[in-house]
Amino acid sequence: MAFPRIRTAVLAGALALTGPALAQSGFPTHAITLVVPFAAGGPTDVVARALGASMAKTLGQSIVVENRTGAGGTLAPNFVARANADGYTLLIHHNGMATAPALYRKLPYDPLKDFAYVGQVADVPMTVLARKDLPPSDLGGFIKYAREQGSKINLANAGPGAVSQLCGMLLQEAIGTQFTTIPYAGTAPAMSALLGQQVDVLCDQTTQTIPQIKSGNVKFYGVTTLDRIKALPDAPTLQEGGLKGFEVKVWHGIYAPKGTPPAAIDKINAALRAALEDPAFTQRMAELGAEIVPPAKRTPQGLQSWLQAETDKWGAMIRKAGVYAD
């Protein structure tokens, strides 16, 4: 089976290399490829393109975004894990790096062992939505309704391993009920099903849902962060609505093949950290409801520690639920 690939130059690198360290090693001398596991135009792709354009300013070379879709988001990491460890092939991935070991019993790579870490990028909150004509008007009403209706409620997600699936799992556990889960092949068809009133509920990230929320096309029950977010300042959190400690974010990390020279990782990380301070990038993330990660998470060590913690957290939940993608 052939999987689609899309290569797009984010920014032509016309800038000269800067700083004595860059001058000494010469890295990078040509374009860097940033591999995205999902389709062009999707949430992770949007972050990748904005990030690539900003990082290229520091690196002095183009960053080419390549979409390698398929196999539930595992095709791209497998490709990068086997790429030349020279700093010219990178991966951007979300929570799926932490959930894949539990979801796939025959995963061909090990997220914790087969990569060098660069750093985290931005966190994107999730939102809990319902079809426009679902009876409950707020989260409290929905929780009561969900406990009464149980499996009569259809919960959409974007497919195995998607953060919308994880959010849905946590939502059912927090409420203490079981819905009928309906997976779709991505966030766009899942949202289309909700707008078409073919399903009742969907957890999806703000990069996709803010326009629908603001237009009134869906019922909106709250955000999945512990604190309210700047993009939707009047929106309550699920914790405020009674689901204590409920938190799900789409987080993004940058990886390279294991064995990539430390000098290359250092330069890529420096470009990442510069991008996270770039007003053009931070403004774009704010428009999407995303929040730039704090400095401690922008390092290789910060990403490594976070990936381990998330792998432990979600792995236990997935194994308990007996949910597998293969």
Side-chain angles (χ1 to χ4, degrees), residues 211-277:
Q212 303 300 343
I213 292 168
K214 291 186 174 180
S215 66
N217 291 333
V218 294
K219 279 198 172 172
F220 173 42
Y221 292 139
V223 296
T224 64
T225 49
L226 297 180
D227 300 309
R228 295 194 179 197
I229 63 174
K230 294 178 182 178
L232 296 167
D234 297 326
T237 67
L238 268 65
Q239 177 166 257
E240 289 177 56
L243 301 181
K244 299 300 181 183
F246 194 105
E247 183 179 30
V248 181
K249 295 180 181 179
V250 182
W251 55 270
H252 301 82
I254 304 295
Y255 307 83
K258 182 178 180 180
T260 298
I265 295 295
D266 288 346
K267 290 177 183 178
I268 297 165
N269 177 260
L272 170 63
R273 287 185 283 109
L276 300 188
E277 299 290 342

Short mmCIF file of all heavy atoms in Angstrom, two decimals, residues 211-277:
data_model
loop_
_atom_site.label_atom_id
_atom_site.label_comp_id
_atom_site.label_asym_id
_atom_site.label_seq_id
_atom_site.Cartn_x
_atom_site.Cartn_y
_atom_site.Cartn_z
N PRO A 211 -13.04 28.17 15.46
CA PRO A 211 -13.99 28.76 14.51
C PRO A 211 -15.42 28.22 14.67
O PRO A 211 -16.39 28.98 14.56
CB PRO A 211 -13.40 28.37 13.14
CG PRO A 211 -11.95 28.16 13.41
CD PRO A 211 -11.88 27.56 14.77
N GLN A 212 -15.55 26.92 14.95
CA GLN A 212 -16.88 26.33 15.11
C GLN A 212 -17.54 26.81 16.40
O GLN A 212 -18.75 27.04 16.44
CB GLN A 212 -16.78 24.80 15.11
CG GLN A 212 -16.12 24.20 13.89
CD GLN A 212 -16.86 24.52 12.59
OE1 GLN A 212 -18.02 24.93 12.60
NE2 GLN A 212 -16.17 24.34 11.47
N ILE A 213 -16.73 26.97 17.44
CA ILE A 213 -17.26 27.47 18.71
C ILE A 213 -17.75 28.90 18.56
O ILE A 213 -18.86 29.25 18.98
CB ILE A 213 -16.18 27.37 19.81
CG1 ILE A 213 -15.89 25.90 20.15
CG2 ILE A 213 -16.61 28.13 21.07
CD1 ILE A 213 -14.65 25.71 21.00
N LYS A 214 -16.93 29.74 17.95
CA LYS A 214 -17.27 31.16 17.82
C LYS A 214 -18.45 31.39 16.88
O LYS A 214 -19.18 32.37 17.02
CB LYS A 214 -16.05 31.95 17.37
CG LYS A 214 -14.97 32.03 18.46
CD LYS A 214 -13.82 32.94 18.06
CE LYS A 214 -12.85 33.12 19.23
NZ LYS A 214 -11.71 34.01 18.88
N SER A 215 -18.61 30.50 15.92
CA SER A 215 -19.73 30.64 14.98
C SER A 215 -21.03 30.05 15.52
O SER A 215 -22.09 30.24 14.92
CB SER A 215 -19.39 29.96 13.65
OG SER A 215 -19.26 28.55 13.83
N GLY A 216 -20.94 29.33 16.65
CA GLY A 216 -22.14 28.74 17.24
C GLY A 216 -22.63 27.49 16.54
O GLY A 216 -23.79 27.09 16.71
N ASN A 217 -21.75 26.85 15.78
CA ASN A 217 -22.15 25.65 15.05
C ASN A 217 -22.20 24.40 15.92
O ASN A 217 -22.71 23.37 15.49
CB ASN A 217 -21.18 25.39 13.89
CG ASN A 217 -21.30 26.43 12.80
OD1 ASN A 217 -22.36 27.03 12.62
ND2 ASN A 217 -20.22 26.67 12.08
N VAL A 218 -21.64 24.49 17.14
CA VAL A 218 -21.59 23.35 18.05
C VAL A 218 -21.93 23.82 19.46
O VAL A 218 -21.88 25.02 19.76
CB VAL A 218 -20.18 22.70 18.07
CG1 VAL A 218 -19.85 22.07 16.72
CG2 VAL A 218 -19.13 23.74 18.48
N LYS A 219 -22.28 22.89 20.32
CA LYS A 219 -22.37 23.19 21.74
C LYS A 219 -20.99 22.98 22.35
O LYS A 219 -20.29 22.03 22.02
CB LYS A 219 -23.39 22.29 22.43
CG LYS A 219 -24.82 22.77 22.23
CD LYS A 219 -25.77 22.18 23.23
CE LYS A 219 -27.13 22.88 23.08
NZ LYS A 219 -28.18 22.23 23.90
N PHE A 220 -20.61 23.86 23.24
CA PHE A 220 -19.26 23.88 23.78
C PHE A 220 -19.35 23.76 25.29
O PHE A 220 -19.94 24.60 25.96
CB PHE A 220 -18.58 25.18 23.36
CG PHE A 220 -17.24 25.43 23.98
CD1 PHE A 220 -16.32 24.40 24.12
CD2 PHE A 220 -16.89 26.69 24.42
CE1 PHE A 220 -15.07 24.63 24.68
CE2 PHE A 220 -15.65 26.94 24.98
CZ PHE A 220 -14.74 25.91 25.11
N TYR A 221 -18.75 22.68 25.82
CA TYR A 221 -18.86 22.41 27.25
C TYR A 221 -17.64 22.82 28.07
O TYR A 221 -17.72 22.91 29.29
CB TYR A 221 -19.17 20.93 27.48
CG TYR A 221 -20.54 20.53 26.99
CD1 TYR A 221 -20.74 19.32 26.32
CD2 TYR A 221 -21.64 21.35 27.19
CE1 TYR A 221 -21.99 18.94 25.88
CE2 TYR A 221 -22.90 20.98 26.75
CZ TYR A 221 -23.08 19.77 26.09
OH TYR A 221 -24.34 19.41 25.64
N GLY A 222 -16.50 23.04 27.42
CA GLY A 222 -15.35 23.48 28.19
C GLY A 222 -14.03 23.06 27.58
O GLY A 222 -13.98 22.31 26.60
N VAL A 223 -12.95 23.58 28.18
CA VAL A 223 -11.59 23.27 27.73
C VAL A 223 -10.95 22.28 28.70
O VAL A 223 -11.34 22.19 29.87
CB VAL A 223 -10.72 24.53 27.61
CG1 VAL A 223 -11.27 25.46 26.54
CG2 VAL A 223 -10.62 25.27 28.94
N THR A 224 -9.95 21.55 28.22
CA THR A 224 -9.38 20.45 28.99
C THR A 224 -8.10 20.83 29.72
O THR A 224 -7.32 19.96 30.09
CB THR A 224 -9.10 19.25 28.07
OG1 THR A 224 -8.08 19.64 27.12
CG2 THR A 224 -10.34 18.81 27.33
N THR A 225 -7.87 22.12 29.90
CA THR A 225 -6.72 22.57 30.67
C THR A 225 -7.15 22.85 32.12
O THR A 225 -8.34 23.02 32.39
CB THR A 225 -6.14 23.85 30.06
OG1 THR A 225 -7.21 24.78 29.82
CG2 THR A 225 -5.45 23.54 28.74
N LEU A 226 -6.18 22.91 33.02
CA LEU A 226 -6.51 23.18 34.42
C LEU A 226 -6.88 24.64 34.63
O LEU A 226 -7.63 24.98 35.55
CB LEU A 226 -5.34 22.79 35.31
CG LEU A 226 -4.97 21.30 35.31
CD1 LEU A 226 -3.80 21.05 36.24
CD2 LEU A 226 -6.17 20.44 35.72
N ASP A 227 -6.34 25.51 33.77
CA ASP A 227 -6.65 26.93 33.85
C ASP A 227 -7.30 27.38 32.55
O ASP A 227 -7.11 26.76 31.50
CB ASP A 227 -5.37 27.75 34.08
CG ASP A 227 -4.66 27.37 35.38
OD1 ASP A 227 -5.34 27.36 36.43
OD2 ASP A 227 -3.45 27.07 35.33
N ARG A 228 -8.04 28.45 32.61
CA ARG A 228 -8.66 29.00 31.41
C ARG A 228 -7.60 29.46 30.42
O ARG A 228 -6.48 29.79 30.80
CB ARG A 228 -9.60 30.15 31.77
CG ARG A 228 -10.79 29.71 32.61
CD ARG A 228 -11.88 30.76 32.66
NE ARG A 228 -13.02 30.29 33.45
CZ ARG A 228 -14.23 30.84 33.41
NH1 ARG A 228 -14.45 31.89 32.63
NH2 ARG A 228 -15.22 30.36 34.15
N ILE A 229 -7.96 29.49 29.14
CA ILE A 229 -6.98 29.82 28.11
C ILE A 229 -7.27 31.19 27.50
O ILE A 229 -8.41 31.66 27.49
CB ILE A 229 -6.95 28.74 27.00
CG1 ILE A 229 -8.30 28.65 26.28
CG2 ILE A 229 -6.58 27.39 27.59
CD1 ILE A 229 -8.30 27.72 25.09
N LYS A 230 -6.21 31.83 27.00
CA LYS A 230 -6.33 33.18 26.46
C LYS A 230 -7.23 33.22 25.23
O LYS A 230 -7.94 34.21 25.00
CB LYS A 230 -4.94 33.71 26.10
CG LYS A 230 -4.04 33.92 27.32
CD LYS A 230 -2.67 34.41 26.90
CE LYS A 230 -1.75 34.59 28.10
NZ LYS A 230 -0.39 35.03 27.69
N ALA A 231 -7.20 32.17 24.42
CA ALA A 231 -7.98 32.18 23.18
C ALA A 231 -9.49 32.13 23.44
O ALA A 231 -10.27 32.61 22.62
CB ALA A 231 -7.57 31.01 22.29
N LEU A 232 -9.88 31.54 24.59
CA LEU A 232 -11.29 31.45 24.96
C LEU A 232 -11.41 31.83 26.44
O LEU A 232 -11.72 30.99 27.29
CB LEU A 232 -11.81 30.02 24.72
CG LEU A 232 -11.82 29.51 23.27
CD1 LEU A 232 -12.04 28.01 23.24
CD2 LEU A 232 -12.90 30.23 22.46
N PRO A 233 -11.18 33.08 26.76
CA PRO A 233 -11.07 33.49 28.17
C PRO A 233 -12.34 33.28 28.99
O PRO A 233 -12.27 33.14 30.21
CB PRO A 233 -10.71 34.98 28.08
CG PRO A 233 -11.19 35.41 26.73
CD PRO A 233 -11.00 34.22 25.84
N ASP A 234 -13.50 33.26 28.35
CA ASP A 234 -14.76 33.09 29.08
C ASP A 234 -15.18 31.63 29.20
O ASP A 234 -16.20 31.32 29.83
CB ASP A 234 -15.88 33.88 28.40
CG ASP A 234 -15.61 35.38 28.39
OD1 ASP A 234 -15.01 35.86 29.37
OD2 ASP A 234 -15.97 36.05 27.42
N ALA A 235 -14.41 30.74 28.59
CA ALA A 235 -14.78 29.33 28.59
C ALA A 235 -14.34 28.64 29.86
O ALA A 235 -13.17 28.74 30.26
CB ALA A 235 -14.16 28.62 27.39
N PRO A 236 -15.23 27.91 30.53
CA PRO A 236 -14.84 27.20 31.75
C PRO A 236 -13.97 25.99 31.43
O PRO A 236 -14.01 25.46 30.31
CB PRO A 236 -16.18 26.76 32.33
CG PRO A 236 -17.07 26.61 31.13
CD PRO A 236 -16.64 27.71 30.18
N THR A 237 -13.19 25.56 32.40
CA THR A 237 -12.45 24.32 32.25
C THR A 237 -13.33 23.16 32.71
O THR A 237 -14.32 23.36 33.44
CB THR A 237 -11.18 24.34 33.11
OG1 THR A 237 -11.55 24.34 34.50
CG2 THR A 237 -10.34 25.58 32.81
N LEU A 238 -12.98 21.94 32.30
CA LEU A 238 -13.74 20.78 32.77
C LEU A 238 -13.57 20.61 34.28
O LEU A 238 -14.47 20.11 34.96
CB LEU A 238 -13.28 19.52 32.03
CG LEU A 238 -14.10 19.20 30.76
CD1 LEU A 238 -13.93 20.29 29.70
CD2 LEU A 238 -13.73 17.85 30.19
N GLN A 239 -12.42 21.03 34.78
CA GLN A 239 -12.20 20.96 36.22
C GLN A 239 -13.21 21.86 36.96
O GLN A 239 -13.77 21.47 37.98
CB GLN A 239 -10.77 21.37 36.57
CG GLN A 239 -10.50 21.39 38.07
CD GLN A 239 -9.03 21.45 38.40
OE1 GLN A 239 -8.42 20.46 38.77
NE2 GLN A 239 -8.43 22.63 38.25
N GLU A 240 -13.44 23.06 36.43
CA GLU A 240 -14.42 23.95 37.03
C GLU A 240 -15.81 23.33 37.02
O GLU A 240 -16.63 23.57 37.92
CB GLU A 240 -14.48 25.28 36.27
CG GLU A 240 -13.27 26.17 36.44
CD GLU A 240 -13.39 27.43 35.59
OE1 GLU A 240 -14.41 28.14 35.74
OE2 GLU A 240 -12.50 27.68 34.78
N GLY A 241 -16.07 22.52 35.99
CA GLY A 241 -17.39 21.90 35.85
C GLY A 241 -17.58 20.66 36.69
O GLY A 241 -18.64 20.02 36.60
N GLY A 242 -16.57 20.28 37.47
CA GLY A 242 -16.73 19.16 38.37
C GLY A 242 -15.84 17.97 38.10
O GLY A 242 -15.81 17.03 38.90
N LEU A 243 -15.11 17.97 36.97
CA LEU A 243 -14.22 16.84 36.66
C LEU A 243 -12.81 17.20 37.15
O LEU A 243 -11.96 17.68 36.40
CB LEU A 243 -14.23 16.55 35.15
CG LEU A 243 -15.61 16.21 34.56
CD1 LEU A 243 -15.48 15.91 33.08
CD2 LEU A 243 -16.26 15.05 35.30
N LYS A 244 -12.58 16.99 38.42
CA LYS A 244 -11.36 17.43 39.09
C LYS A 244 -10.10 16.82 38.46
O LYS A 244 -10.04 15.62 38.21
CB LYS A 244 -11.41 17.07 40.58
CG LYS A 244 -12.56 17.74 41.33
CD LYS A 244 -12.45 19.27 41.26
CE LYS A 244 -13.58 19.95 42.04
NZ LYS A 244 -13.54 21.42 41.93
N GLY A 245 -9.12 17.69 38.22
CA GLY A 245 -7.85 17.24 37.69
C GLY A 245 -7.86 16.86 36.23
O GLY A 245 -6.87 16.33 35.72
N PHE A 246 -8.96 17.12 35.53
CA PHE A 246 -9.05 16.73 34.12
C PHE A 246 -8.14 17.63 33.29
O PHE A 246 -8.31 18.84 33.23
CB PHE A 246 -10.49 16.85 33.62
CG PHE A 246 -10.73 16.16 32.31
CD1 PHE A 246 -11.42 14.96 32.27
CD2 PHE A 246 -10.27 16.68 31.12
CE1 PHE A 246 -11.64 14.30 31.07
CE2 PHE A 246 -10.47 16.03 29.91
CZ PHE A 246 -11.17 14.85 29.89
N GLU A 247 -7.17 17.01 32.65
CA GLU A 247 -6.23 17.77 31.81
C GLU A 247 -5.75 16.91 30.65
O GLU A 247 -5.19 15.83 30.85
CB GLU A 247 -5.03 18.24 32.63
CG GLU A 247 -4.06 19.10 31.82
CD GLU A 247 -2.88 19.59 32.64
OE1 GLU A 247 -2.48 18.89 33.59
OE2 GLU A 247 -2.36 20.67 32.32
N VAL A 248 -5.96 17.39 29.45
CA VAL A 248 -5.42 16.77 28.24
C VAL A 248 -4.96 17.90 27.33
O VAL A 248 -5.73 18.80 27.02
CB VAL A 248 -6.46 15.91 27.49
CG1 VAL A 248 -5.82 15.28 26.26
CG2 VAL A 248 -7.04 14.83 28.39
N LYS A 249 -3.71 17.83 26.91
CA LYS A 249 -3.18 18.79 25.95
C LYS A 249 -2.52 18.05 24.80
O LYS A 249 -1.97 16.96 24.99
CB LYS A 249 -2.13 19.70 26.60
CG LYS A 249 -2.64 20.62 27.69
CD LYS A 249 -1.50 21.45 28.25
CE LYS A 249 -1.95 22.37 29.36
NZ LYS A 249 -0.81 23.16 29.91
N VAL A 250 -2.60 18.63 23.64
CA VAL A 250 -1.82 18.12 22.52
C VAL A 250 -0.44 18.78 22.61
O VAL A 250 -0.31 19.99 22.49
CB VAL A 250 -2.46 18.48 21.17
CG1 VAL A 250 -1.65 17.88 20.02
CG2 VAL A 250 -3.89 17.99 21.10
N TRP A 251 0.57 17.99 22.90
CA TRP A 251 1.93 18.54 23.00
C TRP A 251 2.75 18.08 21.81
O TRP A 251 2.52 17.01 21.25
CB TRP A 251 2.59 18.15 24.32
CG TRP A 251 2.62 16.67 24.60
CD1 TRP A 251 1.67 15.93 25.25
CD2 TRP A 251 3.66 15.75 24.24
NE1 TRP A 251 2.05 14.62 25.32
CE2 TRP A 251 3.26 14.47 24.71
CE3 TRP A 251 4.88 15.88 23.58
CZ2 TRP A 251 4.04 13.33 24.52
CZ3 TRP A 251 5.66 14.74 23.38
CH2 TRP A 251 5.25 13.49 23.86
N HIS A 252 3.70 18.90 21.42
CA HIS A 252 4.51 18.62 20.23
C HIS A 252 5.99 18.61 20.59
O HIS A 252 6.46 19.50 21.31
CB HIS A 252 4.28 19.70 19.16
CG HIS A 252 2.86 19.82 18.73
ND1 HIS A 252 1.92 20.54 19.43
CD2 HIS A 252 2.20 19.30 17.66
CE1 HIS A 252 0.76 20.47 18.81
NE2 HIS A 252 0.90 19.72 17.75
N GLY A 253 6.69 17.62 20.07
CA GLY A 253 8.13 17.51 20.29
C GLY A 253 8.88 17.36 18.98
O GLY A 253 8.32 16.89 17.99
N ILE A 254 10.14 17.75 18.98
CA ILE A 254 11.02 17.60 17.81
C ILE A 254 12.07 16.53 18.12
O ILE A 254 12.72 16.57 19.17
CB ILE A 254 11.73 18.92 17.47
CG1 ILE A 254 10.71 20.04 17.25
CG2 ILE A 254 12.61 18.75 16.23
CD1 ILE A 254 9.81 19.83 16.05
N TYR A 255 12.22 15.58 17.19
CA TYR A 255 13.13 14.44 17.37
C TYR A 255 14.05 14.32 16.16
O TYR A 255 13.72 14.76 15.05
CB TYR A 255 12.34 13.15 17.51
CG TYR A 255 11.28 13.17 18.58
CD1 TYR A 255 10.02 13.72 18.32
CD2 TYR A 255 11.51 12.64 19.85
CE1 TYR A 255 9.03 13.75 19.30
CE2 TYR A 255 10.52 12.66 20.83
CZ TYR A 255 9.29 13.21 20.54
OH TYR A 255 8.32 13.24 21.51
N ALA A 256 15.19 13.67 16.38
CA ALA A 256 16.12 13.32 15.32
C ALA A 256 16.46 11.84 15.48
O ALA A 256 16.22 11.24 16.53
CB ALA A 256 17.38 14.17 15.42
N PRO A 257 17.04 11.21 14.45
CA PRO A 257 17.46 9.81 14.60
C PRO A 257 18.50 9.66 15.71
O PRO A 257 19.34 10.55 15.92
CB PRO A 257 18.06 9.47 13.23
CG PRO A 257 17.44 10.45 12.29
CD PRO A 257 17.25 11.71 13.08
N LYS A 258 18.46 8.56 16.41
CA LYS A 258 19.46 8.28 17.44
C LYS A 258 20.85 8.30 16.80
O LYS A 258 21.06 7.78 15.71
CB LYS A 258 19.19 6.91 18.06
CG LYS A 258 20.15 6.54 19.18
CD LYS A 258 19.80 5.19 19.78
CE LYS A 258 20.75 4.81 20.91
NZ LYS A 258 20.41 3.49 21.49
N GLY A 259 21.80 8.90 17.50
CA GLY A 259 23.15 8.99 16.97
C GLY A 259 23.45 10.28 16.24
O GLY A 259 24.58 10.50 15.80
N THR A 260 22.46 11.16 16.12
CA THR A 260 22.69 12.47 15.50
C THR A 260 23.75 13.21 16.32
O THR A 260 23.67 13.25 17.55
CB THR A 260 21.40 13.29 15.43
OG1 THR A 260 20.44 12.59 14.62
CG2 THR A 260 21.64 14.66 14.84
N PRO A 261 24.77 13.79 15.69
CA PRO A 261 25.85 14.45 16.44
C PRO A 261 25.32 15.50 17.41
O PRO A 261 24.43 16.29 17.06
CB PRO A 261 26.70 15.09 15.33
CG PRO A 261 26.43 14.25 14.13
CD PRO A 261 24.99 13.82 14.23
N PRO A 262 25.85 15.53 18.62
CA PRO A 262 25.41 16.53 19.61
C PRO A 262 25.52 17.96 19.11
O PRO A 262 24.69 18.80 19.45
CB PRO A 262 26.35 16.28 20.79
CG PRO A 262 26.72 14.83 20.68
CD PRO A 262 26.82 14.57 19.21
N ALA A 263 26.54 18.24 18.28
CA ALA A 263 26.71 19.60 17.76
C ALA A 263 25.52 20.00 16.89
O ALA A 263 25.07 21.15 16.92
CB ALA A 263 28.01 19.71 16.97
N ALA A 264 25.02 19.03 16.10
CA ALA A 264 23.85 19.30 15.26
C ALA A 264 22.61 19.50 16.12
O ALA A 264 21.80 20.41 15.87
CB ALA A 264 23.65 18.17 14.27
N ILE A 265 22.45 18.65 17.12
CA ILE A 265 21.30 18.79 18.02
C ILE A 265 21.33 20.15 18.70
O ILE A 265 20.30 20.82 18.84
CB ILE A 265 21.30 17.67 19.08
CG1 ILE A 265 21.09 16.30 18.43
CG2 ILE A 265 20.23 17.93 20.14
CD1 ILE A 265 19.74 16.11 17.79
N ASP A 266 22.51 20.59 19.13
CA ASP A 266 22.64 21.88 19.80
C ASP A 266 22.18 23.02 18.89
O ASP A 266 21.49 23.94 19.34
CB ASP A 266 24.09 22.11 20.22
CG ASP A 266 24.52 21.24 21.39
OD1 ASP A 266 23.63 20.65 22.05
OD2 ASP A 266 25.74 21.13 21.64
N LYS A 267 22.56 22.97 17.62
CA LYS A 267 22.18 24.04 16.70
C LYS A 267 20.69 24.01 16.37
O LYS A 267 20.05 25.06 16.26
CB LYS A 267 23.02 23.95 15.44
CG LYS A 267 24.47 24.32 15.68
CD LYS A 267 25.32 24.15 14.43
CE LYS A 267 26.78 24.46 14.75
NZ LYS A 267 27.65 24.25 13.58
N ILE A 268 20.17 22.81 16.23
CA ILE A 268 18.73 22.70 15.97
C ILE A 268 17.94 23.18 17.19
O ILE A 268 16.93 23.89 17.07
CB ILE A 268 18.36 21.25 15.61
CG1 ILE A 268 19.06 20.83 14.32
CG2 ILE A 268 16.85 21.10 15.45
CD1 ILE A 268 19.05 19.33 14.07
N ASN A 269 18.42 22.81 18.38
CA ASN A 269 17.75 23.26 19.60
C ASN A 269 17.82 24.77 19.75
O ASN A 269 16.85 25.41 20.18
CB ASN A 269 18.36 22.58 20.83
CG ASN A 269 17.74 23.07 22.12
OD1 ASN A 269 18.32 23.91 22.81
ND2 ASN A 269 16.56 22.56 22.46
N ALA A 270 18.96 25.35 19.40
CA ALA A 270 19.09 26.81 19.47
C ALA A 270 18.09 27.48 18.54
O ALA A 270 17.48 28.51 18.89
CB ALA A 270 20.52 27.22 19.13
N ALA A 271 17.90 26.89 17.35
CA ALA A 271 16.93 27.43 16.40
C ALA A 271 15.50 27.27 16.93
O ALA A 271 14.65 28.14 16.75
CB ALA A 271 17.08 26.74 15.05
N LEU A 272 15.24 26.14 17.58
CA LEU A 272 13.94 25.92 18.18
C LEU A 272 13.66 26.97 19.26
O LEU A 272 12.58 27.58 19.29
CB LEU A 272 13.87 24.52 18.79
CG LEU A 272 12.65 24.22 19.66
CD1 LEU A 272 11.37 24.28 18.84
CD2 LEU A 272 12.79 22.85 20.34
N ARG A 273 14.63 27.16 20.15
CA ARG A 273 14.43 28.12 21.24
C ARG A 273 14.24 29.54 20.70
O ARG A 273 13.44 30.31 21.22
CB ARG A 273 15.60 28.04 22.23
CG ARG A 273 15.56 26.77 23.07
CD ARG A 273 16.64 26.73 24.14
NE ARG A 273 17.94 26.39 23.57
CZ ARG A 273 18.95 27.22 23.46
NH1 ARG A 273 18.81 28.48 23.86
NH2 ARG A 273 20.11 26.83 22.94
N ALA A 274 14.96 29.88 19.64
CA ALA A 274 14.78 31.20 19.03
C ALA A 274 13.39 31.33 18.42
O ALA A 274 12.75 32.38 18.53
CB ALA A 274 15.85 31.42 17.96
N ALA A 275 12.92 30.26 17.80
CA ALA A 275 11.58 30.29 17.19
C ALA A 275 10.49 30.49 18.24
O ALA A 275 9.49 31.18 17.99
CB ALA A 275 11.33 28.98 16.43
N LEU A 276 10.69 29.90 19.41
CA LEU A 276 9.68 30.01 20.45
C LEU A 276 9.64 31.40 21.09
O LEU A 276 8.75 31.69 21.89
CB LEU A 276 9.91 28.94 21.53
CG LEU A 276 9.84 27.49 21.02
CD1 LEU A 276 9.90 26.51 22.19
CD2 LEU A 276 8.61 27.25 20.18
N GLU A 277 10.63 32.24 20.70
CA GLU A 277 10.62 33.65 21.13
C GLU A 277 10.30 34.58 19.96
O GLU A 277 10.21 35.80 20.15
CB GLU A 277 11.99 34.02 21.70
CG GLU A 277 12.41 33.22 22.93
CD GLU A 277 11.60 33.57 24.17
OE1 GLU A 277 10.95 34.64 24.18
OE2 GLU A 277 11.61 32.76 25.13
#
